[in-house]
Every structure is written in C-alpha cells, then in structure tokens.
Amino acid sequence: MKIAIVDDEKREQEIIAKYIEEWAEAKKELVEFFCFGSSEGFLFSWEDDKDYALLVLDIEMGEVSGLELAKKIRCEDKNISIIFVTGYDEYMQYGYDVSALHYLIKPVNKEKLFQALNKLSDKKEAVKSLILNSENEVRRIQINNVLYVEADGHGSIMHMTDEVIHLKESFGNIEKQVIPTGEAVKCHRAYLVNLRFVSAIQNSNLILDNGENLPISRSQMKNVQREFLRYYGNRKG
C-alpha cells in the first residue's frame, strides 16, 4: 500500500510515519510512504505518479490547503482514500465533501490512526469483485478468476481462467479498482496481473501457472518483486 503524508510540519510527518510503520509491522502489511511539505509539492509529484492508496492530509497548509488539495485529487480519482489531520475540529464537516475516510485531531492519537488504517484495510479486503462493461453487457467479475488484464486502445482485454472478455472499461480504470485490493500488480504499462497465478519471476518476464509469459518493464521490476514477495510471504509465513 502506497501512502502520501502531506503536512507542512516536519515533526507531524515523522510522528504519523512512525505510527504507520508500527501499524504495518503489526498487520504484516507492505507499506510505502512519501512525505511532502506542501500541497503544491505533492501535486507536482502526483502528475508523474498517481499510484497511491491513501493520502494523509493536513488541512491548514500554505497557499493550497489540504481541503483544496483533496478536491483537486477527487476530480481525477474517486477511489483514493483520504484521512484529514488538523488542530481544529470545526473543519470536520468539510471532510464529507470529499468522502474522507477519517478525520483526526492533532496531536494524532496512535490508536485512532490505527482504527482508520484498519478501516482502509477492511475496505480493501471487501473489494473482491468488479462491475464492468463488456461489449454487449454489464458483467460482475470475480477478481480471483482474472489471470491478467491487457490494455487495448481505449478499452481492455480481461484474460480469465475460463474465457477472454473484451471490455469497454479503460485499463486505467480497472487498475484503480484492482490495485488497492492487494491481489494484483502492474507489471508493464499495458499489463496488470493477478499475483494469485504468478509462479515465478524470470529475467524480465512473469511466468504464470498456465505457462504464459508476461513482460515486466524496467520501471516496474522492483515493485513487481516486492509485491510478489509480500503476497506469498503473507500466505506462507
């Protein structure tokens, strides 16, 4: 799970990061977090990397507040989870405008942050199926039955265990729904693979249980290796 902490107070960044590390260790959850001192700094990074599951946003910041930042992000991403932190409880009502996951008062209480992170983890576990538009119908698709997804122009091709489905849904839209579940990893700009069916990583390829090979781009290699180890490490101890 990739997390951004956006707070103009360095000490607050450090405290939140420390608590998240403690939570991740206790839950055996693989977490990456990145700290930003301003909304502008995060937005600059966001242009190149939108692969975040959670934003922890301070509300009172410089020229662009956490609330304004959340509204900008919501225009592009309806699914990303947001936790607000602030020293003033009167801002709480505004969190509903951007569907915030939680609202925490500074100084951040560790147990309350853990509750919010547990809520996100539970939400991730609950997403086990997708409702997607195919060429002729709307389909409910079980993620466990998906081998991999392939980009196909403005649509995508979903390779299942028992069929191949051509979808109107964009590859990017499917990626945003599937990645937060922890069941899949993007191995290439045009491929999203279900870790359940990966048997090995060999050179610059993923080997699936059925013998198929999928390419791993150089930019995705480290993340693929990390996600593969996390997925099977959690299951085999």
Side-chain angles (χ1 to χ4, degrees):
M1 178 165 36
K2 194 169 179 179
I3 300 173
I5 302 169
V6 188
D7 195 312
D8 58 2
E9 296 181 38
K10 185 71 173 177
R11 179 58 180 160
E12 289 295 331
Q13 288 183 12
E14 293 172 349
I15 291 172
I16 293 169
K18 178 176 179 292
Y19 289 165
I20 290 173
E21 283 184 325
E22 290 181 19
W23 175 84
E25 184 176 350
K27 297 281 288 187
K28 295 183 179 179
E29 180 91 32
L30 182 65
V31 168
E32 281 186 290
F33 56 84
F34 300 83
C35 295
F36 300 88
S38 69
S39 296
E40 295 89 336
F42 174 76
L43 285 171
F44 182 79
S45 173
W46 172 262
E47 290 303 314
D48 294 322
D49 184 3
K50 295 180 170 63
D51 188 25
Y52 287 92
L54 172 66
L55 305 181
V56 182
L57 307 180
D58 180 22
I59 287 183
E60 306 91 17
M61 287 188 296
E63 293 184 11
V64 181
S65 72
L67 282 171
E68 291 174 291
L69 173 59
K71 289 176 181 178
K72 289 177 183 290
I73 297 302
R74 275 286 178 258
C75 290
E76 295 188 47
D77 193 328
K78 305 296 184 184
N79 299 312
I80 192 168
S81 294
I82 296 172
I83 295 176
F84 283 124
V85 294
T86 181
Y88 306 96
D89 58 10
E90 63 262 29
Y91 287 110
M92 187 176 296
Q93 59 180 316
Y94 300 110
Y96 298 109
D97 295 339
V98 291
S99 302
L101 178 71
H102 218 299
Y103 185 99
L104 301 173
I105 298 293
K106 291 183 179 182
V108 172
N109 178 278
K110 180 166 71 172
E111 297 307 317
K112 289 186 177 181
L113 176 58
F114 280 17
Q115 288 173 15
L117 293 170
N118 287 336
K119 186 176 178 181
L120 174 60
S121 182
D122 292 342
K123 177 183 174 184
K124 180 181 73 172
E125 287 299 318
V127 182
K128 295 299 180 184
S129 63
L130 305 171
I131 306 297
L132 300 171
N133 293 304
S134 68
E135 292 182 329
N136 302 309
E137 59 188 347
V138 178
R139 298 279 299 266
R140 183 173 70 86
I141 297 170
Q142 295 288 332
I143 292 176
N144 283 346
N145 294 328
V146 177
L147 291 173
Y148 62 94
V149 182
E150 179 183 1
D152 182 37
H154 294 296
S156 54
I157 302 172
M158 187 165 281
H159 298 258
M160 310 286 290
T161 55
D162 56 355
E163 63 178 319
V164 175
I165 306 172
H166 290 262
L167 299 168
K168 294 180 180 178
E169 301 281 344
S170 71
F171 180 81
N173 184 46
I174 295 174
E175 179 187 356
K176 287 178 181 179
Q177 294 182 65
V178 175
I179 290 295
T181 70
E183 298 295 318
V185 66
K186 185 177 182 180
C187 59
H188 184 276
R189 62 183 176 82
Y191 290 97
L192 180 69
V193 63
N194 191 338
L195 290 160
R196 177 188 180 93
F197 298 105
V198 176
S199 63
I201 298 174
Q202 193 174 87
N203 299 321
S204 59
N205 290 286
L206 283 176
I207 313 300
L208 304 189
D209 291 341
N210 65 2
E212 286 190 72
N213 288 10
L214 295 180
I216 307 174
S217 64
R218 184 178 300 176
S219 63
Q220 296 293 336
M221 178 60 78
K222 287 185 178 179
N223 188 52
V224 168
Q225 292 173 333
R226 184 168 54 240
E227 286 297 294
F228 181 77
L229 292 172
R230 174 203 53 88
Y231 186 85
Y232 286 100
N234 285 351
R235 284 156 178 73
K236 298 178 180 179

